[in-house]
Amino acid sequence: WWTDSSGYKLEGDIAFNNRITNWYTGLAGTPPSGRFDLISVATHEAGHIFGLDHASNANQVMYYGIRQGVNKRVKRSGDLHGMSVRY
């Protein structure tokens, strides 16, 4: 991300590794086993842009990792609490 002189975030970018070829890009449902859900990963990375750190609960979007075949698009109470504290 880029900030101004006072530390206010002006812009944030997310880049995806194109060497990972098993992204699931469907819009609904659970990704097939063996595929990473692109929207779940994008949601997690956007959380960092908004100032959230990793969560210790594996059910949270902001947990440090995601397994193949898992949908973490829906923000859980901990994720929502983190956003409400920030904003």
Side-chain angles (χ1 to χ4, degrees):
W1 53 76
W2 291 266
T3 60
D4 65 14
S5 60
S6 67
Y8 182 78
K9 287 182 184 174
L10 301 173
E11 181 181 343
D13 292 338
I14 301 171
F16 294 94
N17 186 342
N18 64 359
R19 287 179 283 172
I20 296 176
T21 58
N22 58 340
W23 290 113
Y24 172 69
T25 58
L27 298 178
T30 301
S33 64
R35 301 195 65 191
F36 288 105
D37 184 38
L38 183 69
I39 294 174
S40 294
V41 174
T43 301
H44 172 94
E45 296 305 327
H48 288 307
I49 291 171
F50 286 111
L52 297 179
D53 290 326
H54 285 140
S56 59
N57 182 332
N59 294 320
Q60 302 291 330
V61 171
M62 293 310 299
Y63 188 66
Y64 70 89
I66 188 170
R67 294 183 325 273
Q68 295 176 358
V70 172
N71 176 338
K72 286 193 178 182
R73 299 173 184 193
V74 177
K75 276 83 47 213
R76 304 289 193 255
S77 62
D79 300 306
L80 297 173
H81 176 72
M83 287 297 289
S84 69
V85 168
R86 297 286 301 168
Y87 298 95

